[in-house]
Amino acid sequence: MDFIQNLHWSVWIVILIVGLAIRDILQKRHTIQHNFPVIGHIRYMLEKIGPELRQYIVANNREELPFNRGERAWVYASSKKENNLQGFGSDQDFNSVGYIFIKHAMLGLKLPNEHPNLKDPSAVPCAKTIGEYHTRKRPYKPYSIVNISGMSYGSLSAKAIESLNKGAIKFGCYHNTGEGSLSPYHKFGADVIVNIGTAYFGVRDDDGNFSMEKLIKMTQDNPFIRALELKLSQGAKPGKGGVLPASKITQEIADIRHIPMGKDVISPAYHSAFSTIPEMVEFIEQMAHNTGLPVGIKSAVGKLEMWEELAQYMVKTGKGPDFITIDGGEGGTGAAPHAFADHVSLPFTFAFSKIYKIFQRYGLADKIVFIGSGKLGFPEKAMMAFAMGCDLINVGREAMMSIGCIQAQVCHTNRCPTGIATSSKWLQGGIDPALKSERLYNYIKTLNKEMLEIAHACGYEHPSQMTMKDVDMAMGDNNKTQSLATAFGYDKTTIPFKGVSDLLASPFLGGNKATK
């Protein structure tokens, strides 16, 4: 015993290394460790921390995906009210395919005295009113043109959802619930859009079928719900269902989603409440009639035949969705199969332009509110979306970054190091909703403000006045640019606009106006 106690620490290290080497040689699971005992572990260690090494040390400012260091730095600085400017010129490759050039006016717009944006340079309500065309009982004009995309409680942590909601009420933007339904963490007072997916979480009966009674009760009990969004598909995994493992279902999640404990819950790939375009439109009309709320659809874009059918049916009947959210294939905040995330559905610019042209051809472009999502949470990309015909944009991962997401890309593992995309109480412990809500508020405010500044530079009062000819795209190595109108083959339908003052005076304006 005394001999063991007197062994020098270096001898113990040698013994441990020899023991590890013997273990590596005897095991057959990992070839590298068998063939290169001990040092083979270094390979797995480097592989594990490889994304972090590339993110902070190896990659340059514009090299990474899905969001490069420059983009993340802008969000972080904006959310913390730090210097988000850059010096010594741009480090972008102006000749890269798809590079955005916004064409400013020789003489920009000078706001007249008493203009509301002189007092509040970030006040930018939506130019359209959701539900007005179909005369819904409770039309809705979002106070902010930038809003929070659908991210469910369960995918995001309780403290993350709370932070987003409290930041949303502070600025006045809306907060989309995601298909996980309305949770207690969505109920701090911000405008809410309830997302209804194929599993009908929160508004389902015991067999998983849609329950109109539960939807009516939800909307009556929570007057801050301003619209309903019927999710057909999403950019991360279009046409793909999902499984919520029994191990992840807490009693709270079971109560919120109206699902059983102890059983895996399947989110089907398709809706059970309808299977045709006429049936879907009738379903939308029933929800709108029974709740009084505007109802829209959210979808990624692939084949166009049913979109054409929807537009035709809307013209024929005068019925249909009040808004359409187009989710680009580059979107996605959660877990998705590789092939679906990378190869199924069109990216935003192609997806949106194809759908907008269909509805424009049938005379519906000015009657529907178009919402864009998919990496649009930056001033230049958002303004491009508005030039193409968007009336609003939704931000998901950008909103996550504003409250601390570091793009660790482990959302699907329940080990998010920032506590944002995990159910771990310990990891969530680092989130202070009072602080993080302020950062979400700062980010949304900055994005609205900079979009307005670009609009003014182009000679416009509001981003909705941007046209397809106001933005050029680089065509690549031929050193040429083309306007969006030429590149995508259409001119945006003009939106009636009287002025920002008129929008702010709307009786349907959302947001907590008392704080403005």
Side-chain angles (χ1 to χ4, degrees), residues 332-353:
T333 55
H338 162 79
F340 275 86
D342 291 352
H343 299 287
V344 181
S345 83
L346 297 172
F348 174 78
T349 51
F350 300 116
F352 184 86
S353 60

Side-chain angles (χ1 to χ4, degrees), residues 341-393:
D342 291 352
H343 299 287
V344 181
S345 83
L346 297 172
F348 174 78
T349 51
F350 300 116
F352 184 86
S353 60
K354 290 178 184 295
I355 299 308
Y356 187 89
K357 284 194 287 187
I358 289 174
F359 286 91
Q360 184 184 56
R361 192 164 64 249
Y362 288 95
L364 295 169
D366 58 337
K367 301 172 178 62
I368 298 169
V369 173
F370 287 97
I371 305 174
S373 77
K375 297 176 67 174
L376 299 177
F378 305 91
E380 73 288 349
K381 293 182 180 178
M383 292 301 280
M384 177 194 69
F386 270 79
M388 294 178 70
C390 280
D391 302 295
L392 299 165
I393 64 162

